[in-house]
Amino acid sequence: MGSGAPSGRCHPDGAVRMPPRSATGAVAVPALAAPVLAPGRAAAEEVPRPVPGIVKPLPAEWFVPRGTNAEMRWESLRGADGEAVVGRRVPVERFFVRNHTSTPLIDPASWRLRLFGSGLRGAPARERAVEFALEDLRALPSTRIDALIECAGNGRGYYSRQQHQSVPGTPWTLGGVGSASWRGVRLAEVLRAAGLTDGAMDVLPSGLDPDYVAGGVNYGPVRRPLPIAKALDDVLLAFEMNGEPLTPDHGAPVRLVVPGWVGIASIKWVGGIEVADHPLHSPWNTDFYRMFGPGHPPGGGDPLTVQVVKSAFELAEGAVLEAGREHRLHGRSWSGTAPVHRVEVSTDGGRSWRRAELHDEPRAHDWTRWSIGWRPERPGRHELRARATDRRGDTQPDTAGFNREGYLFGAVVAHPVTVA
Ligand SMILES: Nc1nc2c(c(=O)[nH]1)N[C@H]1C(S)=C(S)[C@@H](COP(=O)(O)O)O[C@H]1N2
Ligand SMILES: [Mo]
């Protein structure tokens, strides 16, 4: 196209290559300019990758490998001296990765976004999709939003660790979340340019990563319907993250960013978008990402949308703090619904709470950094707790509501430290 107007020409999906791999399954890891990396790590050294499907380096100081995913270490947001090394935005190289399969390498020149379905004028079939090349998207008015991406399973590990409830799936602690600045075109703009009709009801973006296969079932490409109201509200087709073109692991060349909603809504490597005048389904809004189990409707609750309130300390689990000295405890809190209103911290196992000082102007869909002073006197094991409340009044409970898949763990987390 190149003209900015949809052409309706047909093209195959953007060419997809898998990341190059050596015979040993290792790839050359590019050098990282990072103060916390061990100085001995050479630029072109071949090291086995902790998560084979992820392209970027995953230094152990920054990430915990979890199956096909990489969790961000909260303590890596501070240097050894306790000084902040990460601002409100998480640098791309430190951002957590959640892949159902593996990161595809997509040629941006042949990539096309293909829109089709009964919710568009003329109801184009998949083979007659309205197409946009990357230049076409870049020619449309662009917007920047600061927003979190957070996995619905973030915190899942605490269902078993804290509530003694066994749940399957990735046992994330609290590092399945990150905040970035995203630039792209509003999905609304692209839908309208593609001929959106008043009858449109659901929008189904589909990823170009390999089909998701689990337990012998092929669920097809990762894809999840969005109701038209959210699609037209604040959803972005993003091509930049923190001012740079998207990188492969985070959805290059183009991904969705769905502010406030569970991460699965923010489809990476988007290729096709079906727009329908009837409800759409995929395993990601039927089998997965709904609440199942006791206390939930028999066939499962509604598909998950907004995220719950959470807080995390920028501190290692079991961190050692010197007794008889004033420390500054740092952390971040966020909510999918509303800006953070207040954050309270307990250093005595939840008996008393003090108000933390907020360091950012709280905004919806983003986190707010905070800190509080603490002078521990008694050596031994202590538990720190942080509890946030958002402007709608939602707060973090002591226990999270059980659901079979362990989604949306929003309870206050007990963070063990040792005073010595
Ligand atoms: N195509 C595709 N999109 C995807 C996924 C995926 O596996 N494939 N994972 C989703 C999930 S579950 C999350 S939490 C976010 C993670 O985004 P990130 O890897 O950029 O942090 O991407 C979402 N988009
Ligand atoms: Mo996720």
Side-chain angles (χ1 to χ4, degrees), residues 390-402:
D390 71 18
R391 285 196 190 148
R392 207 181 66 163
D394 287 352
T395 191
Q396 299 186 246
D398 292 336
T399 50
F402 175 79

Side-chain angles (χ1 to χ4, degrees), residues 29 32 34 36-37 41 49-51 54-77 86 90-98 172-173 175-178 241 247 249-250:
V29 174
L32 271 179
V36 297
L37 277 186
R41 187 163 297 183
R49 289 185 300 167
V51 181
I54 295 178
V55 172
K56 71 182 178 184
L58 300 171
E61 302 88 324
W62 294 355
F63 294 102
V64 182
R66 295 206 185 273
T68 55
N69 318 297
E71 173 164 8
M72 181 192 78
R73 287 185 184 278
W74 273 90
E75 67 270 29
S76 71
L77 304 191
V86 168
V90 176
V92 175
E93 64 271 20
R94 291 169 174 260
F95 209 91
F96 87 100
V97 181
R98 161 68 173 121
W172 303 94
T173 54
V177 61
M241 181 177 184
T247 58
D249 295 312
H250 298 290

Side-chain angles (χ1 to χ4, degrees), residues 245-266:
L246 279 184
T247 58
D249 295 312
H250 298 290
V254 175
R255 79 175 299 165
L256 258 72
V257 173
V258 181
W261 284 31
V262 287
I264 185 60
S266 295

